[in-house]
Amino acid sequence: MKIRAFVGLGANLGNSAQHLADAVAALRSLSSTDDVMCSSFYRSAPLDAPGPDYLNAVVSLHTQLPPHALLEALQRIEQAQGRDRTFRHAPRTLDLDLLLYGDQIISTSGLVVPHPRLHERAFVLYPLAELAPGLQVPGLSAVQALLPAVKGQRLQRLEKPV
């Protein structure tokens, strides 16, 4: 059985648009995964960190990969694009976050789903709402109900390049 998962994408070093496009292509090539859809790209200011603006997007996909295997695949994609984890919130060529995995709530030492700060980030909520306007976030509420709390964050929707 395939599970619908959502992955957050972000980049603010190098050619960010190309890094996101390459990440979407890599997600489309994952085994046991299909129906990959990408939101528009969004420009956002870094949160709690210095550095240039980010490009962000969210991808929806259907997968048979278990959640930890999907997370490992995301980390391999990051590493292939030169991700360097020098310090928390460091600028990066690519950041992939497993935001949601079906309606599951997961809390292990290596993985927390829903992503623990999902509800605090406009650059996650607006692309989620674009892909799945009626989405319920397990343990929280509907994505639409979470949007007002982040409306003051700087976010610019860009043309959909992927």
Side-chain angles (χ1 to χ4, degrees):
M1 184 172 102
K2 291 198 177 175
I3 299 286
R4 187 177 191 192
F6 291 88
V7 177
L9 291 72
N12 73 337
L13 290 179
N15 185 339
S16 297
Q18 189 62 55
H19 291 307
L20 294 190
D22 290 347
V24 173
L27 290 168
R28 286 188 172 126
S29 71
L30 285 179
S31 67
S32 304
T33 301
D34 58 25
D35 198 22
V36 176
M37 297 184 309
C38 185
S39 72
S40 299
F41 286 4
Y42 290 78
R43 183 176 312 285
S44 67
L47 292 179
D48 304 322
D53 284 355
Y54 276 85
L55 282 187
N56 299 97
V58 169
V59 165
S60 166
L61 53 84
H62 288 86
T63 188
Q64 289 180 317
L65 295 172
H68 285 87
L70 180 56
L71 176 64
E72 289 171 9
L74 298 180
Q75 291 170 342
R76 283 192 302 273
I77 293 168
E78 287 178 339
Q79 290 169 353
Q81 289 200 37
R83 170 75 189 262
D84 188 13
R85 296 175 185 268
T86 54
F87 57 91
R88 183 178 166 94
H89 301 299
R92 58 206 68 165
T93 54
L94 182 64
D95 184 32
L96 300 177
D97 290 326
L98 182 53
L99 303 171
L100 297 167
Y101 188 84
D103 59 0
Q104 295 185 29
I105 296 175
I106 303 166
S107 184
T108 66
S109 61
L111 179 62
V112 177
V113 174
H115 189 283
R117 290 171 302 284
L118 172 153
H119 64 287
E120 300 171 351
R121 296 175 168 174
F123 63 82
V124 171
L125 292 174
Y126 280 91
L128 270 175
E130 178 185 332
L131 289 175
L135 183 68
Q136 283 288 132
V137 178
L140 291 173
S141 65
V143 167
Q144 295 294 334
L146 297 170
L147 291 173
V150 299
K151 71 177 183 178
Q153 294 177 19
R154 184 167 59 86
L155 188 70
Q156 176 189 8
R157 184 176 175 175
L158 306 175
E159 288 188 36
K160 193 170 182 176
V162 181

